[in-house]
Amino acid sequence: MSSSAPKKLISRSFEFLSSMPLAIILLCVVALSSMIGTVLEQNQSADHYLSILGPFWYKIFAALGLYNMYDSWWFTGVLAFLMLSVGLALVRHGPRVWRQTRPLQTPPAPAQMGGGFSIEGDAARLNADGIEQALRGQGFRELLRGVNPEGAQLVFARKGRLSKLGFFLMHGGVIIIAAGGMVTSQFGFRGTMNIPEGSADDIVYVPAGDTYRQLKLPFKVRNDAFAIDYYNSGMPSDYRSDLTLLKGKQKLVSARVMVNQPLHYKGITLYQASFGDAGSPVTFVLTDLSKPAFPQQTVHTSVGKTLEDALGNKVVVKELRQHNVINMSTNSNKPVLRDVGPSLDVVLQSPANGTLSYRAYLTYPNMLGFAHMGAKGMTYDDLGFSPADGTMMKLLASYFKQLQAAAKPATADAQRSALEAALHESHLSSAKAAALGPIITHAAAVLQRQRLPMLFAFTTFTPKMYTGLQVARDPGAPLVWTGSALLMLGLIGVMYFRERRVWVSLLQNDGRTCIEVCGTSGGRYDLSTEKVIKKLGARLNSGTPPEMRPRTQTNQVEEVKP
């Protein structure tokens, strides 16, 4: 008892690990994981996943390793387990299947499959030689003669035995595909590079949990030029990079990389993945509304820079957008999309006013966009003129100065008097004063309503873009492609070139011969088997198809022994 228990445990473990249900479950896990890896973008930044999933699901997905799934320990473990299961299945069933591919020495006993037919005829016509000739006419090349258990002469024919090799092709293909995935997981990588125009770099940033590890390429990648095409709506239609690979001062290769048109070099592939601003020089006019004279200054800086004054106020130049598509329609059912041109996003961080985001438009400088901290989106208002217009801003400052000096600034009379005094101080003509009066009144109402500490006017920019490349090395790809080809060949062989067997029993009596025919296709008696046998019967029955017996599937097929 004690010695047989370990043997039973080993035997049962072997049967379980080599079973088809386990292999199917593992294949389903791999397929489901691949679907998740396709839907959920891999190797993105933590901020990207947080913005899509939120903090709760971000932590769960991170714990499961779904952001870099193909390099995770559990996915590698599933592939290894799949290789083990399929390999043991080959060991368990391979010898039996291999024997079925070998030529037979003696015919096996007829399969008890039902179906087939019986006919009777002249012994001179229905004999073993004639039957073999008819079988050869149907493509059977392996023919054997023997005696059935009832003592009647037997002719056995088989074709398609090499289709059994599909078993080895399919199992070997799965093993090779899994091996290719493991090779890539252990020795490959997939990371990103952001290279500004005119610059070169050789460092790839590969995700590693919540951080990145840096890999040095054996060459430098230089971004010679970057270009974007846009639709009429302002949305990007295509973008491309002209790249040069350098080894020291030697130029290795130059190519244009586009979406779905990568650059391959010595096992490393560079894909066009994204683009962004690389610190474009910008100019804007800043107006300080917290001081009575509304002083202005022209600021020359670049995207991504932070400016700070002595009082702790910070101005962060956050983002430059060269195209902005906005719905200009007030009817939600009939949108009117328009590209309003470049915009500049600036963030003001002030101890007195907190955090306030601004958006200034180059071609629509009168349009103000702003958002207080915690707001879901931008609020827009129309100032009526560009904040960069020094004359208008001085006139507006004078209006507020006169208004504050009034005894009751909230009254209509006080506002009218303040406007008249401001226009008088500006020494404007009556006609111009009459034209500017409503504009100043409107602008003052906007500032009083929104309570903005500063205004920004976007004036100029010089675009400087970076190209975002995805860099990958996939040493297991040849194995995956090879395994896939073997798997497809195996499936085609098993499904469309099945082994067919035919047994013909001949019983002669008084110059007459009675024959019985049955057969199998892939171990079963099915409609395709019936068609083969019926065609054979027509050959043997002078062109008249015989009456077929009903099919009674019993699935009793004797193992083929060479």
Side-chain angles (χ1 to χ4, degrees), residues 106-111 128 131-132 135 143-157 502-507 516-518:
T106 58
I131 291 172
E132 287 185 350
L135 288 168
L143 302 170
L144 294 173
R145 295 188 187 184
V147 178
N148 69 7
E150 289 76 23
Q153 188 178 10
L154 177 69
V155 176
F156 171 75
V502 174
W503 290 265
V504 182
S505 298
L506 299 91
L507 185 60
E516 290 192 358
V517 181
C518 64

Side-chain angles (χ1 to χ4, degrees), residues 326-511:
I326 295 179
N327 182 13
M328 308 297 288
S329 174
T330 57
N331 187 348
S332 59
N333 296 323
K334 294 182 179 180
V336 178
L337 302 179
R338 181 184 299 175
D339 183 5
V340 297
S343 68
L344 183 67
D345 285 7
V346 179
V347 177
L348 172 63
Q349 298 173 345
S350 171
N353 301 288
T355 300
L356 186 62
S357 299
Y358 289 84
R359 179 168 295 165
Y361 292 88
L362 186 65
T363 53
Y364 293 86
N366 56 298
M367 188 163 60
L368 307 178
F370 47 88
H372 293 274
M373 183 173 62
K376 293 184 177 180
M378 284 279 180
T379 299
Y380 293 92
D381 215 329
D382 187 356
L383 186 63
F385 57 87
S386 170
D389 189 333
T391 301
M392 295 296 290
M393 291 307 300
K394 287 180 181 179
L395 189 58
L396 188 60
S398 177
Y399 170 77
F400 276 108
K401 178 183 176 181
Q402 298 294 336
L403 193 62
Q404 290 173 359
K408 296 180 179 180
T411 63
D413 290 339
Q415 293 174 1
R416 184 171 54 254
S417 298
L419 179 60
E420 291 174 353
L423 294 172
H424 178 73
E425 283 185 357
S426 63
H427 304 291
L428 296 173
S429 64
S430 299
K432 192 164 187 181
L436 295 181
I439 298 176
I440 294 299
T441 304
H442 170 78
V446 170
L447 296 185
Q448 288 173 331
R449 181 169 61 248
Q450 305 299 349
R451 298 183 180 276
L452 301 175
M454 291 185 180
L455 290 179
F456 294 87
F458 183 24
T459 54
T460 62
F461 75 99
T462 303
K464 183 180 181 182
M465 305 294 293
Y466 72 77
T467 179
L469 303 175
Q470 188 174 82
V471 186
R473 183 175 66 191
D474 192 357
L479 291 175
V480 172
W481 285 111
T482 301
S484 300
L486 293 177
L487 179 61
M488 291 303 299
L489 288 174
L491 285 172
I492 292 172
V494 169
M495 295 179 65
Y496 296 103
F497 299 94
R498 290 184 295 177
E499 178 199 54
R500 299 189 188 278
R501 306 179 194 177
V502 174
W503 290 265
V504 182
S505 298
L506 299 91
L507 185 60
Q508 295 183 350
N509 186 18
D510 296 332

Side-chain angles (χ1 to χ4, degrees), residues 282-364:
V282 296
T283 303
F284 59 85
V285 176
L286 186 151
T287 303
D288 189 350
L289 302 180
S290 64
K291 296 179 180 179
F294 290 179
Q296 294 184 312
Q297 60 174 321
T298 300
V299 179
H300 302 277
T301 183
S302 58
V303 177
K305 293 292 183 67
T306 300
L307 311 175
E308 186 174 4
D309 62 15
L311 299 177
N313 298 311
K314 293 182 179 180
V315 175
V316 181
V317 185
K318 187 176 181 182
E319 183 180 5
L320 168 65
R321 298 182 180 181
Q322 297 187 41
H323 294 268
N324 288 271
V325 180
I326 295 179
N327 182 13
M328 308 297 288
S329 174
T330 57
N331 187 348
S332 59
N333 296 323
K334 294 182 179 180
V336 178
L337 302 179
R338 181 184 299 175
D339 183 5
V340 297
S343 68
L344 183 67
D345 285 7
V346 179
V347 177
L348 172 63
Q349 298 173 345
S350 171
N353 301 288
T355 300
L356 186 62
S357 299
Y358 289 84
R359 179 168 295 165
Y361 292 88
L362 186 65
T363 53
Y364 293 86

Side-chain angles (χ1 to χ4, degrees), residues 31 162 219 262 512:
L162 294 182
F219 49 80
R512 303 284 293 174

